[in-house]
Amino acid sequence: MSRNEPPADDAEAMLSIPPERLRRHPRLLYVRRASEAAAKALAYSRGGGVRTYDDIAYRYVCACPQVPFLGVETLAGRAADERRRQRVGLPADLARLAEQRDFLAHRHLALPDGRFRMGIERGLLYAMAEPGGEIVGRFPLAVRPRALDGLTEPQDVRPQPTMAVRRHLTESRWLPLDELIRCARFPTMREAASRLVRGVFPRRHHVFVSHRWLAVDQPDPDGTQARLVAWHLFASLCEAVHVAHRRGLRVPRQVAHAAMNMPVGVAGSDLAECLLGGVLREVLDDTSLASAARDLERVGMDAVELGSAEASEDAGLEHLSALLDALPSLRPLLERIHIWYDYTCVPQAPRSPEEQELFRKTLEALFLLQFAGRTLVLLDDVADYLGRAWCSLEAATSLTSTLGGRPDVLHTGGSARPSGPATDAESLRSLVHDRQLVIWRGLLDTELFRLQTREECVSRLGLSMAEPGDLPYLYDRMLSFAVPNGRTSRQSLVTGVVPLPDMAEDRILVPMPDYSGSQPVDGARPVRVIGTLQGWGGLNLRGYVEEGHADAGPPDTSPFWHFPAPRFTGPAPTCHVAVVAECEGEAVLISSWVRRHRAELEELLRVTAVSGSWTAVDPVPVGHLPHGRLRARAVRADVWVVVGKSGLVANDVGQALCRVVFEARLPAFTVSLDIATENVEQVVGDVAPGAPHSGLLSGWGAGYEHPSGLLYMHLYRHLLQWGASVQ
């Protein structure tokens, strides 16, 4: 491939090209449009003075070209959608039917012919045509699609790690479910002292309840939360019995790793599966399970679901108690479900000296309490819930502490069990996950770039707290558990430097303009484990601050650098370290760690690091942009190392770099900073062999710099000014 039009060396000159020249050279018009898309989105999102981070994120998403299956949600976007739904004013029955449209649509028996990509939403596997994203097939995962034949494997929900934290939680207090049903409300610790269980134990199911306080001195004045929690856990236990009876008590569920690790075939909710493995298998055998299933069949799951739907109206839990009388085989299981609810399990003010000491110990162990079990979020007003500092912290912590990163969600505005396929649980998980992206950028602005105080950071994050004195504890907790897992989006802003192999004679190896990432069919990447590099420090913002690196002066924000010459020279091959990060702040943080730990990397791989670069792929560019530009750069090195979080290393830009380097016949290694052991791997193959991933570009020259970066959807088409149309 060769260029027909030399690129402009000056970005501003490129944007000021006369319209008549643009008409004569359509490729330049496409490049200008691609560059302007990112520039306009940034200008619109940040215009009008100081804004909250969430507001910037929402305005950025609105200003970007719209794409199907948008991956990023914001509180402002959720509020706008709610206002839009209220204006439409569909009756409740019609709204439920609309939510079930995809479930009632025609379903193919097999995947259609042609090129397509897969998507998962609300328990359906979607096949989307390429290009365009048109849905050409829907497959329910509850019935194993033929497309997934041979791609599933048995995998249970992991058991709760109670034994790992048991000695740290000896003073914790828990309320058994049967006691909650007996009280029909959440009592204070003084009232329930004799009924509370002290500590955590195996063969139990532990539930950490995250909720809003509905009054200053009483979180649940009318007992609605207690009724909904009791019914929700009881209905989930019934579901676990039903699933175990249909599938087999000892038979694990089937999971398709190629379909985002989704359960396939007979499977219950995450909570039901956890109860099945942690309670039913520990207490029941096939005979007692059959007895419980017969009792449940006699009563009927419909009666359980109906009662759950009317849970908020079950005064005194009289209906639930009557239903339990008809299910005697389930009563012994209730005492094995233990609930942590702050009003009941923590001494309330005024406290005696002994109670104050217990309160302090409980506060210190708050993360372990969530880690010991599953987090159950009581949700009514999403914006208000996530706008409260304590609730936001608990929801964020649940992503890292709850098994599988999937907290359970209970909507307190109606049914204790969602009646339709569109569940609030899926929506909140996505929203909390995306809120972590925003919180992480606010913390980087505060601690890494020193642009604001902690109080200003919390304010711009839209977090409120009843007691201002809680700020130090809450902020420190956010620092400890702030790193998000990542979220890909075609609207992500790409900035920094994209390094490309220098093939000599003014030629470079580049990704094809229509490059798209792919996943291996069997879920396994073609890699060979090399060893372990203690890389979590590269993402440890709290450690960066405590070690005094932030006090040493402004961090080096250059997206390309040369390492100082090594003290000892030898025959070791040269190495380029390519950092792929989720935002510019994270890229600077990881790059700082790479410079400090250069010797460890060189020793492990037996190389000499000579240069480094970073590329930021930011789905919500709301934080500080110290560089804010993008260009490609030719790099000559014997070995390449791609460093970042595992998701970014294995997908998108990280995957493209590995593929290009592999096709250049150069050794390519990856370092996944969020994996504790065996996190250094060598790429030994291609996930899609035979596909044209790269091409040799001649007449490279100095390249072109995009003054505001590029959206990921335009990256490979326009990074080097190739003349493909902008969709």
Side-chain angles (χ1 to χ4, degrees):
M1 293 173 235
S2 61
R3 299 172 303 159
N4 294 322
E5 180 74 22
D9 292 331
D10 186 352
E12 295 300 327
M14 180 65 192
L15 294 179
S16 61
I17 294 175
E20 59 273 12
R21 186 184 172 198
L22 288 173
R23 285 193 292 270
R24 290 197 302 270
H25 299 283
R27 179 174 55 237
L28 298 182
L29 176 61
Y30 297 139
V31 175
R32 175 174 176 173
R33 287 177 177 172
S35 295
E36 285 183 345
K40 289 178 178 178
L42 286 175
Y44 176 72
S45 63
R46 295 165 181 257
V50 178
R51 296 184 178 275
T52 65
Y53 286 112
D54 192 75
D55 190 26
I56 295 174
Y58 174 62
R59 291 167 67 91
Y60 174 83
V61 170
C62 290
C64 285
Q66 297 302 299
V67 294
F69 289 89
L70 183 62
V72 178
E73 284 189 272
T74 63
L75 290 179
R78 171 68 71 90
D81 290 341
E82 183 61 30
R83 291 193 297 269
R84 193 176 300 113
R85 281 193 294 268
Q86 290 177 355
R87 286 197 301 270
V88 172
L90 283 177
D93 291 344
L94 290 180
R96 284 195 294 271
L97 281 176
E99 291 175 349
Q100 299 178 31
R101 178 184 57 187
D102 286 352
F103 288 80
L104 301 174
H106 172 73
R107 299 173 187 167
H108 297 276
L109 296 178
L111 288 173
D113 295 330
R115 182 179 177 184
F116 57 88
R117 57 191 175 94
M118 308 302 294
I120 302 285
E121 187 173 321
R122 299 186 301 166
L124 286 178
L125 176 69
Y126 291 85
M128 294 168 285
E130 288 282 9
E134 178 187 358
I135 297 175
V136 294
R138 300 171 177 85
F139 305 89
L141 294 178
V143 179
R144 182 184 300 183
R146 293 180 182 178
L148 299 180
D149 283 348
L151 300 180
T152 62
E153 64 178 42
Q155 180 179 307
D156 274 322
V157 174
R158 288 181 297 155
Q160 294 183 339
T162 51
M163 297 305 293
V165 297
R166 184 176 181 180
R167 66 186 182 90
H168 300 289
L169 296 176
T170 55
E171 295 300 319
S172 62
R173 307 303 202 269
W174 302 79
L175 179 67
L177 177 57
D178 58 338
E179 293 293 345
L180 174 61
I181 295 174
R182 188 175 294 114
C183 294
R185 63 184 180 87
F186 284 111
T188 65
M189 175 177 280
R190 295 189 183 97
E191 293 174 322
S194 61
R195 304 175 184 177
L196 298 178
V197 175
R198 178 177 298 187
V200 296
F201 300 92
R203 306 177 67 178
R204 303 289 192 276
H205 180 80
H206 298 88
V207 181
F208 180 98
V209 180
S210 175
H211 64 100
R212 293 194 308 149
W213 279 52
L214 303 181
V216 175
D217 57 348
Q218 169 61 262
D220 188 23
D222 60 1
T224 299
Q225 292 183 354
R227 294 194 291 270
L228 288 170
V229 168
W231 268 102
H232 179 70
L233 294 175
F234 168 72
S236 297
L237 182 65
C238 292
E239 181 188 0
V241 171
H242 182 66
V243 170
H245 183 61
R246 289 184 59 200
R247 195 177 69 207
L249 182 61
R250 308 293 172 183
V251 178
R253 64 178 181 175
Q254 294 291 318
V255 173
H257 293 296
M260 300 172 61
N261 297 322
M262 294 296 292
V264 178
V266 178
S269 65
D270 287 349
L271 175 56
E273 291 285 348
C274 199
L275 288 168
L276 192 161
V279 176
L280 300 191
R281 288 180 185 164
E282 298 291 340
V283 178
L284 304 180
D285 55 21
D286 291 337
T287 301
S288 53
L289 173 64
S291 174
R294 283 195 300 271
D295 289 346
L296 185 58
E297 184 178 356
R298 184 174 61 255
V299 172
M301 276 298 294
D302 288 343
V304 175
E305 296 292 348
L306 181 61
S308 180
E310 300 174 352
S312 60
E313 305 301 325
D314 187 11
L317 291 178
E318 295 178 357
H319 184 190
L320 178 55
S321 298
L323 193 59
L324 279 170
D325 291 338
L327 297 168
S329 56
L330 294 187
R331 276 195 176 275
L333 302 178
L334 300 180
E335 65 183 24
R336 295 181 176 271
I337 301 176
H338 294 178
I339 304 166
W340 194 92
Y341 187 92
D342 55 3
Y343 184 71
T344 299
C345 302
V346 177
Q348 301 301 310
R351 307 180 186 93
S352 66
E354 294 78 9
E355 290 176 334
Q356 184 62 35
E357 179 63 15
L358 177 59
F359 177 80
R360 183 188 64 80
K361 291 181 178 179
T362 304
L363 200 63
E364 292 176 351
L366 203 58
F367 168 72
L368 294 179
L369 289 169
Q370 287 191 260
F371 182 72
R374 292 188 66 88
T375 298
L376 174 61
V377 175
L378 304 188
L379 186 67
D380 47 4
D381 187 327
V382 179
D384 188 58
Y385 174 83
L386 291 179
R388 299 195 184 193
W390 279 106
C391 293
S392 179
L393 177 62
E394 291 166 358
T397 303
S398 71
L399 295 179
T400 57
S401 65
T402 299
L403 297 176
R406 297 169 64 88
D408 303 309
V409 177
L410 171 56
H411 198 289
T412 60
S415 168
R417 302 262 293 171
S419 58
T423 66
D424 290 298
E426 292 180 359
S427 180
L428 182 72
R429 290 179 191 126
S430 173
L431 187 56
V432 171
H433 196 196
D434 292 345
R435 279 282 292 170
Q436 279 302 100
L437 305 179
V438 174
I439 291 173
W440 177 232
R441 285 143 181 79
L443 296 176
L444 288 167
D445 282 358
T446 307
E447 303 297 337
L448 182 66
F449 297 123
R450 301 295 184 94
L451 297 176
Q452 58 196 4
T453 65
R454 294 185 171 189
E455 291 78 8
E456 291 170 338
C457 174
V458 170
S459 176
R460 290 192 66 199
L461 289 172
L463 298 176
S464 63
M465 58 192 76
E467 295 292 338
D470 292 342
L471 175 63
Y473 175 83
L474 289 166
Y475 192 90
D476 286 343
R477 283 286 307 277
M478 286 196 297
L479 273 181
S480 300
F481 307 106
V483 182
N485 295 330
R487 177 64 65 91
T488 59
S489 170
R490 296 180 66 193
Q491 296 176 320
S492 297
L493 179 69
V494 185
T495 56
V497 165
V498 177
L500 298 170
D502 187 342
M503 307 303 290
E505 299 179 356
D506 202 21
R507 299 178 304 164
I508 57 173
L509 202 63
V510 298
M512 297 291 286
D514 59 349
Y515 175 87
S516 61
S518 58
Q519 296 293 330
V521 176
D522 60 359
R525 296 172 59 225
V527 295
R528 177 169 64 92
V529 175
I530 300 299
T532 299
L533 191 65
Q534 300 300 325
W536 176 247
L539 296 169
N540 186 359
L541 181 58
R542 180 172 185 170
Y544 180 88
V545 174
E546 292 177 347
E547 292 172 9
H549 300 299
D551 297 326
D556 186 347
T557 61
S558 172
F560 190 92
W561 68 91
H562 292 281
F563 287 101
R567 290 182 299 170
F568 304 102
T569 59
T574 60
C575 168
H576 177 77
V577 181
V579 172
V580 181
E582 198 174 73
C583 64
E584 291 201 2
E586 182 178 287
V588 171
L589 182 67
I590 297 175
S591 298
S592 173
W593 178 87
V594 168
R595 294 187 186 96
R596 299 195 307 271
H597 295 266
R598 169 192 181 184
E600 298 172 28
L601 183 64
E602 291 178 331
E603 181 179 356
L604 179 63
L605 299 180
R606 300 185 182 280
V607 297
T608 299
V610 295
S611 60
S613 64
W614 59 254
T615 310
V617 188
D618 196 341
V620 281
V622 301
H624 179 50
L625 298 174
H627 185 68
R629 306 183 299 279
L630 175 69
R631 75 180 310 144
R633 179 156 181 165
V635 173
R636 182 169 296 182
D638 301 321
V639 176
W640 286 56
V641 180
V642 180
V643 180
K645 289 182 286 194
S646 54
L648 293 173
V649 164
N651 301 294
D652 302 325
V653 173
Q655 184 190 85
L657 288 178
C658 290
R659 281 181 169 176
V660 170
V661 173
F662 182 78
E663 293 185 2
R665 303 295 190 269
L666 297 172
F669 297 86
T670 62
V671 179
S672 300
L673 299 178
D674 54 342
I675 298 178
T677 60
E678 298 185 342
N679 59 350
V680 181
E681 300 173 320
Q682 181 178 5
V683 179
V684 295
D686 189 359
V687 296
H693 303 311
S694 63
L696 192 64
L697 180 65
S698 301
W700 156 245
Y704 169 69
E705 183 173 81
H706 298 271
S708 298
L710 284 175
L711 303 183
Y712 180 73
M713 67 179 72
H714 300 151
L715 178 62
Y716 301 111
R717 292 178 183 267
H718 302 292
L719 175 65
L720 303 172
Q721 292 186 262
W722 287 346
S725 61
V726 179
Q727 299 296 327

